[in-house]
Amino acid sequence: MSADPLHRAGTPQHGKTSPPPDGAEASEIEVRRSTRRRRTVSAYREGGRTVVLIPARMSEAEERRWVTVMLDKLAAQESRRTLGDTELAERAERLSAQFFDGRARPASVRWVTNQNTRWGSCTPAEGSIRLSHRLQGMPEYVVDYVLLHELAHLLVPGHGPDFWRLLEAYPRTERARGYLEGVAAAARLPHPPGSQGG
């Protein structure tokens, strides 16, 4: 979200998000407060904007937190609906071009259902990248981070300083790692790539 606060009143309030790191257009966010709404928060897309419905009594800090939560939830739903193997490979190609000057060129990128101890894997000798199906439905920035992590392995096989320097280019690395750590802690699933294998 931008530094501009979202205003409160009886009419819909508008805010702008910061442009996503991939350079796409910023999405307009409209926060609607309702005195009838007691506890529930919901959100939906309407044209080029996102509408977030919240209780009128919410504080500004709660509003910011819920806007972030709902944006992530919508992104996860959209990712789950639209991302097949072909789209995943195209996304990997775009990420490689954007962050690695196109140097990471996988021969194949696909979802797999047999990875229960890691989020993704890469076999540099074959140029193959596989992502766990459990990532489907997570926010796009999380999937992008795991894809970039595996793409980086095509350039640097281990997890040494050169490897982590490559990932510094992605501005949401820490946020994505935090998200995966939260999921892992909650479900006792694998750790984010790089903290324990990957």
Side-chain angles (χ1 to χ4, degrees):
M1 302 225 5
S2 68
D4 295 334
L6 299 174
H7 307 298
R8 280 204 253 323
T11 57
Q13 300 87 42
H14 300 276
K16 281 254 186 203
T17 59
S18 301
D22 62 359
E25 293 273 326
S27 169
E28 182 180 343
I29 299 169
E30 179 181 327
V31 176
R32 295 181 186 167
R33 289 177 170 270
S34 169
T35 53
R36 285 192 200 147
R37 194 173 280 268
R38 298 285 178 225
R39 291 187 301 256
T40 60
V41 176
S42 62
Y44 60 91
R45 305 278 194 213
E46 188 176 79
R49 69 184 162 165
T50 303
V51 178
V52 181
L53 308 169
I54 64 172
R57 63 173 176 70
M58 258 189 199
S59 71
E60 204 171 303
E62 288 174 310
E63 178 181 305
R64 282 193 302 271
R65 183 177 73 82
W66 276 106
V67 166
T68 300
V69 166
M70 298 312 289
L71 288 174
D72 283 351
K73 190 173 185 177
L74 285 172
Q77 290 168 352
E78 290 160 359
S79 177
R80 184 168 45 244
R81 282 197 302 266
T82 60
L83 207 58
D85 286 349
T86 301
E87 292 86 3
L88 193 64
E90 290 167 357
R91 197 160 172 177
E93 188 177 330
R94 282 194 306 273
L95 289 167
S96 176
Q98 183 176 354
F99 294 101
F100 303 145
D101 297 321
R103 293 179 296 131
R105 295 189 185 113
S108 67
V109 182
R110 61 189 173 93
W111 296 108
V112 294
T113 57
N114 63 349
Q115 288 197 6
N116 297 318
T117 60
R118 52 182 59 193
W119 295 111
S121 62
C122 174
T123 307
E126 298 172 5
S128 62
I129 291 175
R130 293 158 308 280
L131 296 192
S132 171
H133 72 287
R134 288 174 317 208
L135 289 164
Q136 291 176 318
M138 290 189 188
E140 287 185 10
Y141 72 90
V142 176
V143 176
D144 286 352
Y145 165 71
V146 177
L147 260 177
L148 279 165
H149 184 103
E150 302 310 333
L151 285 165
H153 279 309
L154 293 175
L155 304 173
V156 179
H159 288 113
D162 290 342
F163 174 84
W164 292 111
R165 265 193 292 280
L166 284 173
L167 286 181
E168 285 174 4
Y170 184 57
R172 294 180 128 186
T173 292
E174 289 307 312
R175 185 174 179 197
R177 287 175 57 79
Y179 185 99
L180 291 172
E181 285 171 0
V183 170
R188 299 189 183 221
L189 290 172
H191 293 284
S195 62
Q196 182 181 345

